[in-house]
């Protein structure tokens, strides 16, 4: 009777987490869901998040390395920072309809094509309307495209960041020579833990963490701002 009672208690706890008994068991080898279903469950879980941290680490075919970190509510509030091995870095804070942007000196030199006379770092943040942001300007819109694509195939059970997971290989006919590997948690909620991509032009690892952790985002101090809203209108 004690063993039956323990099993019922464990099952109830699993269901309370919003996961299936199979996925909550932590045994990825016995999960009978298809690769597509596993990905769909992961995407559904990720889309329902109130906050998440996204870290990306990318290396180009030529060996150039860059990283980025996004802390976001997946809507309109986030912090973002990108940096490259050249030392160039760009920081961003978005709160609703306002962006606060701070490039460092190396970033400014990189985009101006020449070195500036002063070696001092940029200390001021540029304040702009978020509506002025455009694709390719290096800024984040605080969202993330949790959408399915390509053809998925189940791989082997593994451990990612201390969490039991299963690897799912996804190939996309539009990307020749490239393949994605998605790692989905098989204990607790089916979070997407990370995605790796290896292709002819670059390889990258994107890691997701801090699921639903409190997200505190504050604007820079008034004395550190340069308001450029409306310039060029």
């Amino acid at each position: 009777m004690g063993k039956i009672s323990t099993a019922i208690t464990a099952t109830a706890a699993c269901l309370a987490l919003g996961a299936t008994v199979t996925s909550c068991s932590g045994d990825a080898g016995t999960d009978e869901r298809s690769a597509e279903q596993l990905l769909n469950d992961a995407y559904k879980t990720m889309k329902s998040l109130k906050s998440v941290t996204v870290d990306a680490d990318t290396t180009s075919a030529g060996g150039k390395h860059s990283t980025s970190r996004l802390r976001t509510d997946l809507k309109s509030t986030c912090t973002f920072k990108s940096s490259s091995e050249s030392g160039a870095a760009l920081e961003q804070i978005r709160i609703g309809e306002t962006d606060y942007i701070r490039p460092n000196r190396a970033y400014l030199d990189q985009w101006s094509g020449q070195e500036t006379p002063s070696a001092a770092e940029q200390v001021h943040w540029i304040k702009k309307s978020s509506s002025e942001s455009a694709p390719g300007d290096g800024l984040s819109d605080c969202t993330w495209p949790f959408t399915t694509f390509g053809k998925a195939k189940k791989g082997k059970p593994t451990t990612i960041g201390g969490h039991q997971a299963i690897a799912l290989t996804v190939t996309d006919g539009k990307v020749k020579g490239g393949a994605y590997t998605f790692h989905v948690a098989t204990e607790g909620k089916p979070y997407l833990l990370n995605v790796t991509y290896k292709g002819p032009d670059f390889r990258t690892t994107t890691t997701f963490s801090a699921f639903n952790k409190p997200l505190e985002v504050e604007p820079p101090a008034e004395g550190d701002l340069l308001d450029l809203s409306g310039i060029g209108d």
Side-chain angles (χ1 to χ4, degrees):
M1 180 66 70
K3 291 183 178 180
I4 295 176
S5 178
T6 300
I8 292 174
T9 301
T11 299
C14 181
L15 292 175
L17 290 171
T20 64
V21 177
T22 300
S23 65
C24 199
S25 68
D27 187 354
T30 62
D31 196 320
E32 297 180 354
R33 288 174 295 172
S34 67
E36 286 77 12
Q37 186 60 56
L38 284 162
L39 275 181
N40 285 334
D41 289 348
Y43 281 134
K44 183 178 180 180
T45 300
M46 299 302 283
K47 287 180 178 179
S48 69
L49 291 174
K50 301 300 181 182
S51 66
V52 66
T53 295
V54 185
D55 290 289
D57 190 302
T58 303
T59 302
S60 69
K64 293 184 178 180
H65 181 243
S66 63
T67 61
S68 68
R69 164 166 281 198
L70 172 67
R71 296 173 54 250
T72 178
D73 67 356
L74 295 173
K75 294 180 180 178
S76 60
T77 300
C78 63
T79 65
F80 178 72
K81 182 174 181 178
S82 62
S83 59
S84 66
E85 63 181 16
S86 67
L90 176 68
E91 295 177 84
Q92 174 196 3
I93 298 172
R94 174 169 290 190
I95 302 175
E97 299 179 355
T98 303
D99 272 330
Y100 304 93
I101 308 161
R102 182 167 66 176
N104 70 358
R105 184 63 59 183
Y107 187 93
L108 294 173
D109 291 345
Q110 175 179 293
W111 287 103
S112 67
Q114 58 185 3
E115 292 188 9
T116 53
S118 173
E121 282 300 312
Q122 170 70 13
V123 297
H124 288 93
W125 293 79
I126 300 168
K127 180 180 180 180
K128 298 180 64 176
S129 170
S130 59
S131 63
E132 297 177 35
S133 175
D137 61 8
L139 301 180
S140 173
D141 65 0
C142 299
T143 64
W144 195 266
F146 293 117
T147 55
T148 59
F149 64 93
K151 185 177 181 180
K153 180 180 179 181
K154 290 177 71 172
K156 297 180 179 180
T158 186
T159 301
I160 301 294
H163 300 283
Q164 293 185 45
I166 189 166
L168 306 171
T169 301
V170 176
T171 53
D172 187 352
K174 297 179 181 179
V175 183
K176 294 184 178 180
Y180 298 83
T181 301
F182 292 72
H183 291 99
V184 176
T186 55
E187 57 180 357
K189 292 188 177 182
Y191 291 123
L192 180 59
L193 300 176
N194 76 18
V195 182
T196 62
Y197 170 78
K198 293 182 179 180
D201 298 325
F202 67 93
R203 63 181 185 274
T204 185
T205 298
T206 304
T207 303
F208 303 92
S209 63
F211 307 111
N212 285 328
K213 297 296 183 182
L215 182 67
E216 298 180 0
V217 178
E218 299 290 339
E222 285 292 329
D224 294 335
L225 295 180
L226 293 174
D227 193 343
L228 300 184
S229 298
I231 289 181
D233 292 347

